[in-house]
Amino acid sequence: MNTTGHGQPSHSGSDAPKSTLPLLLQRVRDASIQAAEGLLKAALDAADDSLFGFSEKADNAAESARYMDAMREMRVKRPSLEQAFRERLERDFVAFVRQTPTTAVVEKAPITFAADSLSLVEDQALEEDLAIAGMVSKANLRHNSALFALTQRLGAALGRSSIETDACPLAPASVGHALRDVAARIEADIGTKLVVLKLFDRHVATDLDQVYDVANKLLAEAGVLPNVRYTRPPRLPGSSAPVARATVAGGDPAATDPNRDAAPGTEIGDAGANGEADAGTNEVIAAFASLLATRREQITGAARPVVAGPRVSNSELIAALSRMQLSQPSLSAAATDAIALVERVEQVKQDLLGQLRATGIDNPDQRVAEADEDAIDLVSMLFQFVVQDRNLPAEIQAALSRLQIPYVRVAIKDKRLFAQSQHPARRLLDTLATACIGWSKDADRDARFLDRLNQLVERVMKEYTDDVGLFDELRAEFDEFVEQQQRHSSTAEQRAAEAIKGREKLSFARRTVTQLVNERLARHQLPPLAREVVVNPWSNYLVLMHLRHGPESSEWKSAVSFVDAAAWCSQPKRNEAEYAKLNAVVPQMQAFLRRGLGVVGFGEQESQRLAHGFGAVLLSMHQREVTLEHADTIAAAEQSLNNAPPAPAAAPEAEPETADSALPEDDEIVQRVRNLKVGTWVEFSTESGTPERAKVSWISPLSARLLFVNRKGLKVAEFSVFALAGELRAGTAQILEVAPIFERALSSIMNRLKYEHLLAGGGKSDSAQQSA
């Protein structure tokens, strides 16, 4: 049995005996891993509570069962999950001492691709990789000072120098791999796994300083670099973590560069234009800064050198942007070309550098601060998203793209633009993009809406200096303009909906009446005249009662009872009591029929004749011979029926859905259509090639048919669920997103940067393996 330095039995599955570690490092390993295990236990406890809570709040039984199954799975496997975590960290300790390669850094995790395609990446694995990578990236920034001190002490204990923090066996990368081993043993869908990984981030990665404190304390007490101090100074704008400051009292040669391991995009002593920023802003900016720094390194092939000389000041940078803002030409027709738009957005940064060179500011001794460059790049990527967002028509993309330079100015002065959803500039762009989703040339023939948008953009270009209050003012004015347009279109929209509602009600009433009459008369042999009266004029009366009073009304029920009475009258009578009842009921039915026929358009004389004939035919069917009087009455009634007024015009029935019958009810697209909400915008292809945008204005509670109207409230289309699903599947219709564009853009940018980050890491890992 393997033992530790304290003679305790080993519970590790490591591939190397613990005795290979020096006694001190054994103590450090055991104490620090024990602390890390405590964090994992807290995370697993939180996961148990969260999954149980999700199960209770689930919208349906299937979703509830999914969370409960995941919770039970984690409870059953909990011992093996904790063991997997512990064994990974123990192996990394042994590898660190032996100087053998460990698994690649999670922050730059390799992904294996087919040689000819990237599409073979498994979505779930990539989602997990991105979650782990984000966790590790934030932990590196948050704990860089304590981690740096620990790495130096571990190196000193082994007689090594210049050890990178990523090589530390307790680095966030190693912990991230251990957490990925834990997640790999949990059999659950990707949504549940991401919930668990988020809890690992919150309860493990966020609190790794507790582990580092334990290890640093043991090493310092053992005399390993006892004078190294690491502090947690106040957070700086642009960083989610304190800048690394590991120092040695008394001028020890092990003193480190205060700028070492500083968060990318931040520099010592740079408090930014707005002073202290909130922690949420810092974390967002730091996450982007780290990824942007790596991206620039990938593009240039080397890390950006630290330049000791002065930087371009904010005022100099803003002055250059002001000149560009005021000199930007008005929008031209050619500016709506998709390729030209993207190129123009990408060119802004180069134009800015050109402005700086033209004024003699940009020289070898001066540079744009990395935090400012981050802001410029983020705004550039933001507007690249805007001009490529399929939710916005080309004309709108072109108009909004002109805001790029003012938004660069905002971002340089106020990094909260990227972190706070209520920032005035951010809210303005979100408002404009949302309002413009439904714009189309056909719905804005007088160009009133587009002109108003361009006027707003021009005001920003001419009036914005440094007061973000302008954005709130313009947003309020534009909201008022949009509300006015909506008020004007609401009447037309209501008329379109009312027309379809009326048609739907009529169609539903007719189907209800037809089904009812067929069922009531199916087992009865009414005389031809009586059947004709019930099936035609009386059915029209039933339809009117259904429409006017509803199926729960006494009027409807009385009209239905007439049909039941006619059916009873047609049945053979077995005794005198039934004959007596027949003779009493028929006159009542005749009177009721006369009144009903008058309601559906029969004249008094025709109603009288038809009622007499109807009664005569019911009575005569129970007599052996039809009297001459009855025969004449029936003949007159038939003549009146032939001369009957036409039934009220019925709206055309909904088109049959046989063309889409191949789509089953549980088809994903069918379910997506069923979940559409009023107000959702859809883009339809037209025969002319010009796309038409329309929103869901009304959904029938009877047939689930969807009415689409344009911005002016005019009807564009009407679809059944299956017909619209067929359009979506064929690609002739596309559902547009209504989520705020700023949020969607930042999410897209973050995923893009993380993906590039992972790809770059994978490429380096492969090269290293080939060299070995």
Side-chain angles (χ1 to χ4, degrees), residues 492-507:
E493 186 174 341
Q494 186 174 0
R495 286 174 183 166
E498 290 297 331
I500 297 182
K501 286 179 185 178
R503 191 183 72 193
E504 285 260 316
K505 281 185 173 182
L506 178 58
S507 296

Side-chain angles (χ1 to χ4, degrees), residues 36-282:
E37 285 183 295
L39 300 180
L40 177 65
K41 290 178 187 295
L44 294 176
D45 289 341
D48 190 275
D49 293 340
S50 295
L51 293 174
F52 182 77
F54 291 153
S55 176
E56 286 191 320
K57 297 176 183 177
D59 294 332
N60 53 66
E63 186 179 3
S64 176
R66 180 162 57 86
Y67 287 123
M68 288 298 291
D69 289 344
M71 183 186 73
R72 283 191 285 267
E73 160 96 0
M74 292 183 65
R75 286 181 178 178
V76 171
K77 292 186 175 180
R78 181 154 179 167
S80 66
L81 301 181
E82 294 176 357
Q83 182 179 0
F85 181 74
R86 181 175 58 249
E87 289 179 353
R88 163 66 74 159
L89 293 180
E90 288 177 345
R91 286 199 301 273
D92 284 354
F93 253 99
V94 172
F96 175 72
V97 173
R98 290 181 173 178
Q99 292 186 280
T100 55
T102 60
T103 309
V105 179
V106 176
E107 195 175 2
K108 298 181 180 179
I111 303 175
T112 303
F113 299 100
D116 58 347
S117 175
L118 299 183
S119 64
L120 302 181
V121 180
E122 202 172 56
D123 289 343
Q124 180 162 329
L126 180 57
E127 288 281 356
E128 292 178 28
D129 285 340
L130 290 174
I132 295 285
M135 179 194 310
V136 171
S137 177
K138 288 189 293 183
N140 275 327
L141 292 168
R142 186 178 291 115
H143 309 303
N144 57 0
S145 178
L147 176 61
F148 179 76
L150 175 59
T151 304
Q152 300 310 304
R153 284 190 167 114
L154 288 173
L158 293 170
R160 300 177 194 165
S161 60
S162 302
I163 298 178
E164 294 295 329
T165 54
D166 285 340
C168 177
L170 294 171
S174 294
V175 176
H177 274 297
L179 293 173
R180 181 151 53 187
D181 287 352
V182 173
R185 286 163 172 76
I186 302 172
E187 295 180 7
D189 62 282
I190 183 59
T192 304
K193 277 202 174 185
L194 291 178
V195 169
V196 174
L197 289 174
K198 180 66 176 177
L199 292 169
F200 286 170
D201 185 2
R202 185 179 302 166
H203 294 279
V204 180
T206 300
D207 293 331
L208 280 178
D209 55 339
Q210 298 177 24
V211 177
Y212 301 149
D213 288 346
V214 168
N216 271 313
K217 183 178 180 182
L218 282 173
L219 289 166
E221 289 176 349
V224 181
L225 300 181
N227 294 323
V228 173
R229 299 286 184 269
Y230 56 94
T231 59
R232 295 179 178 81
R235 296 174 181 239
L236 298 177
S239 172
S240 67
V243 175
R245 290 188 185 276
T247 60
V248 180
D252 191 289
T256 59
D257 180 354
N259 282 338
R260 178 165 180 153
D261 284 357
T266 66
E267 294 170 281
I268 303 302
D270 182 7
N274 295 290
E276 195 76 23
D278 62 275
T281 300
N282 288 332

Side-chain angles (χ1 to χ4, degrees), residues 465-656:
T465 52
D466 59 1
D467 180 13
V468 293
L470 174 67
F471 296 101
D472 276 334
E473 177 186 339
L474 294 176
R475 180 177 56 81
E477 292 177 4
F478 195 76
D479 277 341
E480 184 179 353
F481 167 74
V482 171
E483 287 175 5
Q484 288 177 353
Q485 286 213 320
Q486 288 175 343
R487 284 196 294 270
H488 293 155
S489 66
S490 62
T491 302
E493 186 174 341
Q494 186 174 0
R495 286 174 183 166
E498 290 297 331
I500 297 182
K501 286 179 185 178
R503 191 183 72 193
E504 285 260 316
K505 281 185 173 182
L506 178 58
S507 296
F508 179 72
R510 286 195 174 280
R511 288 194 299 271
T512 300
V513 169
T514 299
Q515 182 179 356
L516 180 144
V517 169
N518 289 340
E519 289 175 352
R520 292 293 205 277
L521 302 185
R523 296 183 300 276
H524 304 283
Q525 295 295 324
L526 267 71
L529 175 64
R531 176 175 288 275
E532 186 68 17
V533 167
V534 173
V535 169
N536 286 310
W538 195 255
S539 288
N540 291 336
Y541 179 74
L542 281 167
V543 169
L544 287 177
M545 294 303 101
H546 192 285
L547 291 173
R548 290 180 180 178
H549 305 290
E552 301 300 325
S553 65
S554 59
E555 291 83 357
W556 164 258
K557 292 176 181 178
S558 295
V560 172
S561 70
F562 178 90
V563 181
D564 292 332
W568 178 84
C569 289
S570 70
Q571 296 174 352
K573 301 298 174 270
R574 295 166 295 184
N575 50 54
E576 290 300 325
E578 289 186 349
Y579 276 107
K581 182 179 178 181
L582 175 66
N583 290 325
V585 166
V586 168
Q588 295 175 10
M589 294 180 66
Q590 288 175 312
F592 195 8
L593 178 59
R594 282 197 304 273
R595 292 196 301 272
L597 293 175
V599 172
V600 294
F602 281 77
E604 183 177 349
Q605 188 174 3
E606 287 80 9
S607 299
Q608 185 78 13
R609 287 176 182 171
L610 200 50
H612 279 300
F614 180 79
V617 77
L618 289 178
L619 292 173
S620 65
M621 68 181 297
H622 298 289
Q623 300 172 359
R624 292 183 179 180
E625 294 182 4
V626 177
T627 65
L628 182 60
E629 181 183 357
H630 278 173
D632 290 343
T633 302
I634 293 171
E638 290 175 343
Q639 182 64 34
S640 294
L641 192 60
N642 291 334
N643 296 330
E653 292 290 329
E655 73 273 8

Side-chain angles (χ1 to χ4, degrees), residues 379-400:
V379 174
S380 176
M381 285 187 279
L382 166 69
F383 279 89
Q384 286 176 39
F385 182 90
V386 169
V387 300
Q388 293 175 309
D389 183 17
R390 70 177 181 85
N391 295 288
L392 298 176
E395 293 82 354
I396 302 299
Q397 292 173 346
L400 295 181

Side-chain angles (χ1 to χ4, degrees), residues 646-668:
E653 292 290 329
E655 73 273 8
E657 298 183 0
T658 53
D660 304 303
S661 59
L663 293 175
E665 177 61 36
D666 61 353
D667 182 86
E668 180 183 355

